[in-house]
Amino acid sequence: MSTLIVTEQTSCETWQWIDADGASHTLGEASGLVPGQWVGFGIPPTRRVDRRIPGRPGAYTLDRSYGERTATLQVVVVASSMSGLQQAIDDWAERFNVLRGGGTLRHTRTDGVTVRRLNCDYEAGLEISQAEGVWRAGAQAALLSFFAADPFWYDDTETTETFAASGTSAAFFPIPNATTGSFITLTSSEVFGSLVVTNDGDVPVYPTWTIEGPGSSITLRNVTTGKVITLSANGGLTLTAGQTLEIDTRPGSTLIERDSANVAAYLSDASELWPLALGANTIQIEMGGSTADSTVAISYRLAHLTP
């Protein structure tokens, strides 16, 4: 029985698959799946909404954005024997099983420093036709397809920034009143803190918030975009000392929970689960009844068009 020896790439570019359970599997000879060329992982396809007016030439654009993507990665499934090859295919079939949940492709560039991840599902490629490969030599070529409903590559590490209490932070930013044109006056007890958060990725990103009480009349205000999240409906949300409020604004992951209990009913009609716009975002936290034990933190991953 012959043995096939496959030499891995000498560059620092690497691929990893993080399965639905969070386990990481590096694509390489040791894992039985050696990566090759890839297609479709660069800039995602654009999506436009245009309107044409009868009797007039051309059209005007209502919206422009990016759509979902399907990308492919050439691989060779390798082993030292036919039975080992079948086992390697079985192992990867389990890791790609969409019934267990979605996964993540983690890519490290040739610089060995830039690491980004794409949330996606295995779509096709491991059907395997023995006639197409060199099965008896312990190898099988495959072209793996992955589907990403969210087409962006995210930083491998999450950034977390903490707001200082108003006594030590920069002065709060004046908020114009849209009705009167004057400025809204806030007392020192209402302004918890302010911070400038810079999104230097390629697209807006939706953050998660962690707020620990005590505190009440909570408002998360993006002064730059004018959008707010206010928990003032139904009498308003109050956090006692030690209670934690989690707000996840990411589409598909949205939650508003106090100590794991859903409190979305406190969200005001004027609220919008806003993202961090491109560039500098001036963010102000308003919260009454806070003490030295109160904390507010924002977490996010920058998003990019390319791996």
Side-chain angles (χ1 to χ4, degrees):
M1 186 175 293
S2 60
T3 299
L4 181 74
I5 298 176
V6 178
T7 302
E8 295 188 58
Q9 297 168 310
T10 57
S11 72
C12 294
E13 183 180 47
T14 60
W15 292 87
Q16 290 176 303
W17 174 254
I18 303 173
D19 64 27
D21 297 326
S24 180
H25 312 276
T26 299
L27 276 61
E29 188 176 352
S31 67
L33 196 66
V34 179
Q37 294 182 334
W38 50 272
V39 177
F41 288 116
I43 298 176
T46 58
R47 183 172 61 191
R48 297 168 55 92
V49 178
D50 298 322
R51 174 170 292 176
R52 289 168 175 79
I53 302 176
R56 294 186 182 182
Y60 65 93
T61 300
L62 297 175
D63 181 58
R64 57 173 62 87
S65 60
Y66 290 98
E68 311 90 318
R69 74 161 93 216
T70 297
T72 57
L73 178 65
Q74 290 183 348
V75 298
V76 179
V77 188
V78 297
S80 59
S81 65
M82 291 173 58
S83 61
L85 180 60
Q86 184 62 68
Q87 185 60 55
I89 294 172
D90 289 346
D91 290 342
W92 279 100
E94 180 181 1
R95 295 162 186 165
F96 288 142
N97 188 348
V98 295
L99 298 182
R100 298 173 57 212
T104 301
L105 274 171
R106 185 174 184 266
H107 178 257
T108 303
R109 289 188 180 183
T110 53
D111 61 12
V113 175
T114 305
V115 184
R116 294 173 181 171
R117 53 175 63 201
L118 177 73
N119 299 317
C120 56
D121 288 328
Y122 162 83
E123 188 168 70
L126 276 185
E127 295 86 353
I128 301 299
S129 173
Q130 295 185 26
E132 294 179 355
V134 282
W135 184 271
R136 293 186 178 277
Q140 172 66 50
L143 187 63
L144 301 182
S145 295
F146 298 91
F147 175 77
D150 180 347
F152 305 120
W153 290 87
Y154 290 88
D155 281 357
D156 190 47
T157 57
E158 190 172 61
T159 298
T160 298
E161 301 190 52
T162 302
F163 289 78
S166 57
T168 57
S169 67
F172 74 87
F173 297 84
I175 312 300
N177 187 310
T179 302
T180 65
S182 60
F183 290 94
I184 298 173
T185 302
L186 300 173
T187 68
S188 60
S189 63
E190 292 173 321
V191 181
F192 180 83
S194 57
L195 191 67
V196 175
V197 176
T198 300
N199 174 8
D200 55 7
D202 294 323
V203 298
V205 291
Y206 289 82
T208 59
W209 296 87
T210 303
I211 304 171
E212 186 169 337
S216 62
S217 303
I218 299 169
T219 294
L220 313 176
R221 188 185 302 273
N222 190 326
V223 179
T224 300
T225 63
K227 297 178 180 180
V228 298
I229 299 173
T230 302
L231 297 165
S232 58
N234 296 309
L237 176 71
T238 296
L239 297 177
T240 60
Q243 284 189 320
T244 300
L245 174 67
E246 299 281 349
I247 301 177
D248 190 339
T249 67
R250 294 172 298 173
S253 302
T254 303
L255 63 83
I256 303 175
E257 294 183 340
R258 177 178 56 190
D259 288 350
S260 301
N262 190 329
V263 291
Y266 290 103
L267 200 64
S268 72
D269 292 339
S271 295
E272 181 177 342
L273 299 181
W274 48 262
L276 293 172
L278 291 176
N281 293 255
T282 299
I283 300 173
Q284 182 166 287
I285 309 302
E286 298 155 25
M287 183 167 64
S290 63
T291 69
D293 295 325
S294 306
T295 61
V296 178
I298 181 174
S299 300
Y300 56 93
R301 294 178 190 264
L302 296 180
H304 309 273
L305 297 177
T306 57

